PDB file of all heavy atoms in Angstrom:
ATOM      1  N   LEU Y 274      45.353 -83.358   2.730  1.00  0.00           N
ATOM      2  CA  LEU Y 274      46.157 -82.593   3.599  1.00  0.00           C
ATOM      3  C   LEU Y 274      47.055 -81.704   2.788  1.00  0.00           C
ATOM      4  O   LEU Y 274      47.304 -80.464   3.118  1.00  0.00           O
ATOM      5  CB  LEU Y 274      46.960 -83.431   4.524  1.00  0.00           C
ATOM      6  CG  LEU Y 274      47.871 -82.657   5.551  1.00  0.00           C
ATOM      7  CD1 LEU Y 274      47.160 -81.888   6.373  1.00  0.00           C
ATOM      8  CD2 LEU Y 274      48.740 -83.708   6.302  1.00  0.00           C
ATOM      9  N   GLY Y 275      47.532 -82.184   1.667  1.00  0.00           N
ATOM     10  CA  GLY Y 275      48.438 -81.367   0.773  1.00  0.00           C
ATOM     11  C   GLY Y 275      47.761 -80.147   0.241  1.00  0.00           C
ATOM     12  O   GLY Y 275      48.208 -79.082   0.320  1.00  0.00           O
ATOM     13  N   PHE Y 276      46.455 -80.298  -0.221  1.00  0.00           N
ATOM     14  CA  PHE Y 276      45.787 -79.163  -0.701  1.00  0.00           C
ATOM     15  C   PHE Y 276      45.307 -78.283   0.384  1.00  0.00           C
ATOM     16  O   PHE Y 276      45.154 -77.121   0.251  1.00  0.00           O
ATOM     17  CB  PHE Y 276      44.463 -79.663  -1.441  1.00  0.00           C
ATOM     18  CG  PHE Y 276      44.838 -80.211  -2.832  1.00  0.00           C
ATOM     19  CD1 PHE Y 276      44.915 -81.609  -3.170  1.00  0.00           C
ATOM     20  CD2 PHE Y 276      45.078 -79.309  -3.884  1.00  0.00           C
ATOM     21  CE1 PHE Y 276      45.259 -82.030  -4.337  1.00  0.00           C
ATOM     22  CE2 PHE Y 276      45.452 -79.786  -5.077  1.00  0.00           C
ATOM     23  CZ  PHE Y 276      45.522 -81.122  -5.373  1.00  0.00           C
ATOM     24  N   PHE Y 277      45.069 -78.802   1.618  1.00  0.00           N
ATOM     25  CA  PHE Y 277      44.763 -77.967   2.779  1.00  0.00           C
ATOM     26  C   PHE Y 277      45.865 -77.012   3.143  1.00  0.00           C
ATOM     27  O   PHE Y 277      45.602 -75.868   3.416  1.00  0.00           O
ATOM     28  CB  PHE Y 277      44.396 -78.827   3.974  1.00  0.00           C
ATOM     29  CG  PHE Y 277      44.027 -78.067   5.235  1.00  0.00           C
ATOM     30  CD1 PHE Y 277      42.868 -77.403   5.367  1.00  0.00           C
ATOM     31  CD2 PHE Y 277      44.998 -78.039   6.303  1.00  0.00           C
ATOM     32  CE1 PHE Y 277      42.606 -76.676   6.514  1.00  0.00           C
ATOM     33  CE2 PHE Y 277      44.803 -77.351   7.394  1.00  0.00           C
ATOM     34  CZ  PHE Y 277      43.589 -76.572   7.569  1.00  0.00           C
ATOM     35  N   VAL Y 278      47.134 -77.614   3.300  1.00  0.00           N
ATOM     36  CA  VAL Y 278      48.259 -76.720   3.656  1.00  0.00           C
ATOM     37  C   VAL Y 278      48.842 -75.815   2.596  1.00  0.00           C
ATOM     38  O   VAL Y 278      49.607 -74.950   2.899  1.00  0.00           O
ATOM     39  CB  VAL Y 278      49.423 -77.643   4.211  1.00  0.00           C
ATOM     40  CG1 VAL Y 278      48.980 -78.473   5.455  1.00  0.00           C
ATOM     41  CG2 VAL Y 278      50.046 -78.483   3.221  1.00  0.00           C
ATOM     42  N   ARG Y 279      48.333 -76.087   1.308  1.00  0.00           N
ATOM     43  CA  ARG Y 279      48.956 -75.429   0.111  1.00  0.00           C
ATOM     44  C   ARG Y 279      49.000 -73.895   0.282  1.00  0.00           C
ATOM     45  O   ARG Y 279      49.968 -73.248   0.033  1.00  0.00           O
ATOM     46  CB  ARG Y 279      48.110 -75.825  -1.071  1.00  0.00           C
ATOM     47  CG  ARG Y 279      48.476 -75.210  -2.377  1.00  0.00           C
ATOM     48  CD  ARG Y 279      47.489 -75.614  -3.526  1.00  0.00           C
ATOM     49  NE  ARG Y 279      47.965 -75.229  -4.752  1.00  0.00           N
ATOM     50  CZ  ARG Y 279      47.285 -75.479  -5.876  1.00  0.00           C
ATOM     51  NH1 ARG Y 279      46.141 -76.167  -5.890  1.00  0.00           N
ATOM     52  NH2 ARG Y 279      47.693 -74.963  -7.121  1.00  0.00           N
ATOM     53  N   PRO Y 280      47.869 -73.228   0.725  1.00  0.00           N
ATOM     54  CA  PRO Y 280      47.830 -71.778   0.767  1.00  0.00           C
ATOM     55  C   PRO Y 280      48.866 -71.204   1.896  1.00  0.00           C
ATOM     56  O   PRO Y 280      49.185 -69.979   1.814  1.00  0.00           O
ATOM     57  CB  PRO Y 280      46.412 -71.413   1.095  1.00  0.00           C
ATOM     58  CG  PRO Y 280      45.635 -72.648   0.888  1.00  0.00           C
ATOM     59  CD  PRO Y 280      46.584 -73.757   1.095  1.00  0.00           C
ATOM     60  N   TYR Y 281      49.162 -72.068   2.878  1.00  0.00           N
ATOM     61  CA  TYR Y 281      49.942 -71.551   4.043  1.00  0.00           C
ATOM     62  C   TYR Y 281      51.336 -71.864   3.978  1.00  0.00           C
ATOM     63  O   TYR Y 281      52.154 -71.452   4.814  1.00  0.00           O
ATOM     64  CB  TYR Y 281      49.296 -72.134   5.255  1.00  0.00           C
ATOM     65  CG  TYR Y 281      47.780 -72.018   5.337  1.00  0.00           C
ATOM     66  CD1 TYR Y 281      46.930 -73.191   5.129  1.00  0.00           C
ATOM     67  CD2 TYR Y 281      47.106 -70.833   5.530  1.00  0.00           C
ATOM     68  CE1 TYR Y 281      45.549 -73.123   5.203  1.00  0.00           C
ATOM     69  CE2 TYR Y 281      45.775 -70.690   5.544  1.00  0.00           C
ATOM     70  CZ  TYR Y 281      44.956 -71.858   5.376  1.00  0.00           C
ATOM     71  OH  TYR Y 281      43.612 -71.776   5.406  1.00  0.00           O
ATOM     72  N   THR Y 282      51.781 -72.690   3.039  1.00  0.00           N
ATOM     73  CA  THR Y 282      53.198 -73.183   3.017  1.00  0.00           C
ATOM     74  C   THR Y 282      53.859 -73.140   1.687  1.00  0.00           C
ATOM     75  O   THR Y 282      54.457 -74.039   1.155  1.00  0.00           O
ATOM     76  CB  THR Y 282      53.269 -74.658   3.565  1.00  0.00           C
ATOM     77  OG1 THR Y 282      52.390 -75.475   2.799  1.00  0.00           O
ATOM     78  CG2 THR Y 282      52.890 -74.703   5.060  1.00  0.00           C
ATOM     79  N   GLN Y 283      53.598 -71.892   1.002  1.00  0.00           N
ATOM     80  CA  GLN Y 283      54.291 -71.697  -0.315  1.00  0.00           C
ATOM     81  C   GLN Y 283      53.831 -72.532  -1.402  1.00  0.00           C
ATOM     82  O   GLN Y 283      54.520 -72.768  -2.384  1.00  0.00           O
ATOM     83  CB  GLN Y 283      55.773 -71.781  -0.185  1.00  0.00           C
ATOM     84  CG  GLN Y 283      56.393 -70.804   0.900  1.00  0.00           C
ATOM     85  CD  GLN Y 283      57.893 -70.966   1.037  1.00  0.00           C
ATOM     86  OE1 GLN Y 283      58.434 -72.034   0.936  1.00  0.00           O
ATOM     87  NE2 GLN Y 283      58.523 -69.848   1.360  1.00  0.00           N
ATOM     88  N   GLY Y 284      52.595 -73.054  -1.446  1.00  0.00           N
ATOM     89  CA  GLY Y 284      52.018 -73.732  -2.546  1.00  0.00           C
ATOM     90  C   GLY Y 284      52.552 -75.103  -2.756  1.00  0.00           C
ATOM     91  O   GLY Y 284      53.208 -75.647  -1.903  1.00  0.00           O
ATOM     92  N   ILE Y 285      52.302 -75.540  -3.964  1.00  0.00           N
ATOM     93  CA  ILE Y 285      52.804 -76.856  -4.354  1.00  0.00           C
ATOM     94  C   ILE Y 285      53.973 -76.670  -5.256  1.00  0.00           C
ATOM     95  O   ILE Y 285      53.860 -75.990  -6.279  1.00  0.00           O
ATOM     96  CB  ILE Y 285      51.761 -77.686  -5.174  1.00  0.00           C
ATOM     97  CG1 ILE Y 285      50.526 -77.828  -4.277  1.00  0.00           C
ATOM     98  CG2 ILE Y 285      52.276 -79.032  -5.549  1.00  0.00           C
ATOM     99  CD1 ILE Y 285      49.313 -78.444  -5.165  1.00  0.00           C
ATOM    100  N   SER Y 286      55.174 -77.174  -4.868  1.00  0.00           N
ATOM    101  CA  SER Y 286      56.442 -76.850  -5.628  1.00  0.00           C
ATOM    102  C   SER Y 286      57.425 -78.028  -5.368  1.00  0.00           C
ATOM    103  O   SER Y 286      57.869 -78.129  -4.254  1.00  0.00           O
ATOM    104  CB  SER Y 286      56.954 -75.514  -5.302  1.00  0.00           C
ATOM    105  OG  SER Y 286      58.260 -75.362  -5.893  1.00  0.00           O
ATOM    106  N   LYS Y 287      57.772 -78.579  -6.436  1.00  0.00           N
ATOM    107  CA  LYS Y 287      59.013 -79.502  -6.391  1.00  0.00           C
ATOM    108  C   LYS Y 287      60.298 -78.872  -6.179  1.00  0.00           C
ATOM    109  O   LYS Y 287      61.103 -79.211  -5.350  1.00  0.00           O
ATOM    110  CB  LYS Y 287      59.042 -80.398  -7.677  1.00  0.00           C
ATOM    111  CG  LYS Y 287      60.289 -81.293  -7.767  1.00  0.00           C
ATOM    112  CD  LYS Y 287      60.251 -82.026  -9.066  1.00  0.00           C
ATOM    113  CE  LYS Y 287      61.463 -83.001  -9.154  1.00  0.00           C
ATOM    114  NZ  LYS Y 287      62.719 -82.270  -9.380  1.00  0.00           N
ATOM    115  N   ILE Y 288      60.489 -77.805  -6.920  1.00  0.00           N
ATOM    116  CA  ILE Y 288      61.713 -77.061  -6.793  1.00  0.00           C
ATOM    117  C   ILE Y 288      62.016 -76.521  -5.402  1.00  0.00           C
ATOM    118  O   ILE Y 288      63.069 -76.592  -4.908  1.00  0.00           O
ATOM    119  CB  ILE Y 288      61.700 -75.806  -7.751  1.00  0.00           C
ATOM    120  CG1 ILE Y 288      61.513 -76.206  -9.225  1.00  0.00           C
ATOM    121  CG2 ILE Y 288      62.971 -74.957  -7.574  1.00  0.00           C
ATOM    122  CD1 ILE Y 288      62.707 -77.054  -9.692  1.00  0.00           C
ATOM    123  N   HIS Y 289      60.875 -76.078  -4.745  1.00  0.00           N
ATOM    124  CA  HIS Y 289      61.062 -75.620  -3.380  1.00  0.00           C
ATOM    125  C   HIS Y 289      60.662 -76.692  -2.268  1.00  0.00           C
ATOM    126  O   HIS Y 289      60.778 -76.355  -1.074  1.00  0.00           O
ATOM    127  CB  HIS Y 289      60.184 -74.317  -3.135  1.00  0.00           C
ATOM    128  CG  HIS Y 289      60.517 -73.248  -4.111  1.00  0.00           C
ATOM    129  ND1 HIS Y 289      61.731 -72.556  -4.053  1.00  0.00           N
ATOM    130  CD2 HIS Y 289      59.877 -72.664  -5.039  1.00  0.00           C
ATOM    131  CE1 HIS Y 289      61.771 -71.668  -4.997  1.00  0.00           C
ATOM    132  NE2 HIS Y 289      60.640 -71.616  -5.643  1.00  0.00           N
ATOM    133  N   SER Y 290      60.491 -77.908  -2.791  1.00  0.00           N
ATOM    134  CA  SER Y 290      60.065 -78.972  -1.853  1.00  0.00           C
ATOM    135  C   SER Y 290      59.152 -78.587  -0.667  1.00  0.00           C
ATOM    136  O   SER Y 290      59.467 -78.816   0.456  1.00  0.00           O
ATOM    137  CB  SER Y 290      61.313 -79.566  -1.260  1.00  0.00           C
ATOM    138  OG  SER Y 290      62.126 -78.681  -0.541  1.00  0.00           O
ATOM    139  N   THR Y 291      57.965 -78.135  -1.127  1.00  0.00           N
ATOM    140  CA  THR Y 291      56.986 -77.699  -0.109  1.00  0.00           C
ATOM    141  C   THR Y 291      56.184 -78.795   0.464  1.00  0.00           C
ATOM    142  O   THR Y 291      56.097 -79.909  -0.086  1.00  0.00           O
ATOM    143  CB  THR Y 291      56.002 -76.688  -0.833  1.00  0.00           C
ATOM    144  OG1 THR Y 291      55.243 -77.315  -1.795  1.00  0.00           O
ATOM    145  CG2 THR Y 291      56.716 -75.455  -1.371  1.00  0.00           C
ATOM    146  N   PRO Y 292      55.574 -78.573   1.698  1.00  0.00           N
ATOM    147  CA  PRO Y 292      54.822 -79.638   2.390  1.00  0.00           C
ATOM    148  C   PRO Y 292      53.683 -80.217   1.487  1.00  0.00           C
ATOM    149  O   PRO Y 292      53.346 -81.316   1.457  1.00  0.00           O
ATOM    150  CB  PRO Y 292      54.283 -79.027   3.585  1.00  0.00           C
ATOM    151  CG  PRO Y 292      55.202 -77.917   3.890  1.00  0.00           C
ATOM    152  CD  PRO Y 292      55.738 -77.443   2.614  1.00  0.00           C
ATOM    153  N   ALA Y 293      53.064 -79.256   0.725  1.00  0.00           N
ATOM    154  CA  ALA Y 293      51.851 -79.717  -0.147  1.00  0.00           C
ATOM    155  C   ALA Y 293      52.390 -80.767  -1.092  1.00  0.00           C
ATOM    156  O   ALA Y 293      51.667 -81.740  -1.337  1.00  0.00           O
ATOM    157  CB  ALA Y 293      51.231 -78.507  -0.814  1.00  0.00           C
ATOM    158  N   TRP Y 294      53.476 -80.418  -1.723  1.00  0.00           N
ATOM    159  CA  TRP Y 294      54.164 -81.383  -2.724  1.00  0.00           C
ATOM    160  C   TRP Y 294      54.448 -82.727  -2.019  1.00  0.00           C
ATOM    161  O   TRP Y 294      54.264 -83.786  -2.574  1.00  0.00           O
ATOM    162  CB  TRP Y 294      55.331 -80.780  -3.290  1.00  0.00           C
ATOM    163  CG  TRP Y 294      56.211 -81.512  -4.176  1.00  0.00           C
ATOM    164  CD1 TRP Y 294      55.922 -81.937  -5.440  1.00  0.00           C
ATOM    165  CD2 TRP Y 294      57.551 -82.122  -3.863  1.00  0.00           C
ATOM    166  NE1 TRP Y 294      56.999 -82.734  -5.907  1.00  0.00           N
ATOM    167  CE2 TRP Y 294      57.982 -82.802  -5.082  1.00  0.00           C
ATOM    168  CE3 TRP Y 294      58.366 -81.969  -2.743  1.00  0.00           C
ATOM    169  CZ2 TRP Y 294      59.254 -83.517  -4.995  1.00  0.00           C
ATOM    170  CZ3 TRP Y 294      59.530 -82.579  -2.815  1.00  0.00           C
ATOM    171  CH2 TRP Y 294      59.970 -83.360  -3.841  1.00  0.00           C
ATOM    172  N   VAL Y 295      55.084 -82.649  -0.864  1.00  0.00           N
ATOM    173  CA  VAL Y 295      55.363 -83.868  -0.091  1.00  0.00           C
ATOM    174  C   VAL Y 295      54.183 -84.701   0.199  1.00  0.00           C
ATOM    175  O   VAL Y 295      54.114 -85.935  -0.082  1.00  0.00           O
ATOM    176  CB  VAL Y 295      56.119 -83.544   1.216  1.00  0.00           C
ATOM    177  CG1 VAL Y 295      56.332 -84.748   2.119  1.00  0.00           C
ATOM    178  CG2 VAL Y 295      57.512 -82.945   0.973  1.00  0.00           C
ATOM    179  N   PHE Y 296      53.155 -84.054   0.770  1.00  0.00           N
ATOM    180  CA  PHE Y 296      51.939 -84.768   1.147  1.00  0.00           C
ATOM    181  C   PHE Y 296      51.186 -85.401  -0.030  1.00  0.00           C
ATOM    182  O   PHE Y 296      50.855 -86.500   0.032  1.00  0.00           O
ATOM    183  CB  PHE Y 296      50.948 -83.924   1.902  1.00  0.00           C
ATOM    184  CG  PHE Y 296      51.511 -83.440   3.199  1.00  0.00           C
ATOM    185  CD1 PHE Y 296      51.269 -82.242   3.778  1.00  0.00           C
ATOM    186  CD2 PHE Y 296      52.161 -84.385   4.095  1.00  0.00           C
ATOM    187  CE1 PHE Y 296      51.598 -81.785   5.024  1.00  0.00           C
ATOM    188  CE2 PHE Y 296      52.635 -83.955   5.364  1.00  0.00           C
ATOM    189  CZ  PHE Y 296      52.331 -82.761   5.804  1.00  0.00           C
ATOM    190  N   ILE Y 297      51.144 -84.664  -1.137  1.00  0.00           N
ATOM    191  CA  ILE Y 297      50.385 -85.134  -2.279  1.00  0.00           C
ATOM    192  C   ILE Y 297      51.135 -86.311  -2.877  1.00  0.00           C
ATOM    193  O   ILE Y 297      50.548 -87.325  -3.272  1.00  0.00           O
ATOM    194  CB  ILE Y 297      50.134 -84.028  -3.371  1.00  0.00           C
ATOM    195  CG1 ILE Y 297      49.186 -82.930  -2.781  1.00  0.00           C
ATOM    196  CG2 ILE Y 297      49.690 -84.596  -4.688  1.00  0.00           C
ATOM    197  CD1 ILE Y 297      49.034 -81.631  -3.562  1.00  0.00           C
ATOM    198  N   CYS Y 298      52.442 -86.152  -3.109  1.00  0.00           N
ATOM    199  CA  CYS Y 298      53.229 -87.233  -3.734  1.00  0.00           C
ATOM    200  C   CYS Y 298      53.216 -88.455  -2.868  1.00  0.00           C
ATOM    201  O   CYS Y 298      53.103 -89.636  -3.302  1.00  0.00           O
ATOM    202  CB  CYS Y 298      54.679 -86.795  -4.025  1.00  0.00           C
ATOM    203  SG  CYS Y 298      54.773 -85.423  -5.289  1.00  0.00           S
ATOM    204  N   THR Y 299      53.286 -88.265  -1.564  1.00  0.00           N
ATOM    205  CA  THR Y 299      53.202 -89.384  -0.657  1.00  0.00           C
ATOM    206  C   THR Y 299      51.858 -90.093  -0.734  1.00  0.00           C
ATOM    207  O   THR Y 299      51.791 -91.336  -0.820  1.00  0.00           O
ATOM    208  CB  THR Y 299      53.467 -89.063   0.814  1.00  0.00           C
ATOM    209  OG1 THR Y 299      54.785 -88.433   0.890  1.00  0.00           O
ATOM    210  CG2 THR Y 299      53.513 -90.276   1.723  1.00  0.00           C
ATOM    211  N   GLY Y 300      50.794 -89.362  -0.756  1.00  0.00           N
ATOM    212  CA  GLY Y 300      49.457 -89.898  -0.880  1.00  0.00           C
ATOM    213  C   GLY Y 300      49.340 -90.747  -2.175  1.00  0.00           C
ATOM    214  O   GLY Y 300      48.783 -91.903  -2.154  1.00  0.00           O
TER     215      GLY Y 300
END
Side-chain angles (χ1 to χ4, degrees):
L274 180 60
F276 283 103
F277 175 76
V278 303
R279 179 184 188 179
Y281 313 108
T282 54
Q283 300 180 326
I285 304 172
S286 174
K287 172 182 181 285
I288 299 296
H289 299 295
S290 58
T291 62
W294 172 75
V295 170
F296 291 143
I297 292 169
C298 291
T299 301

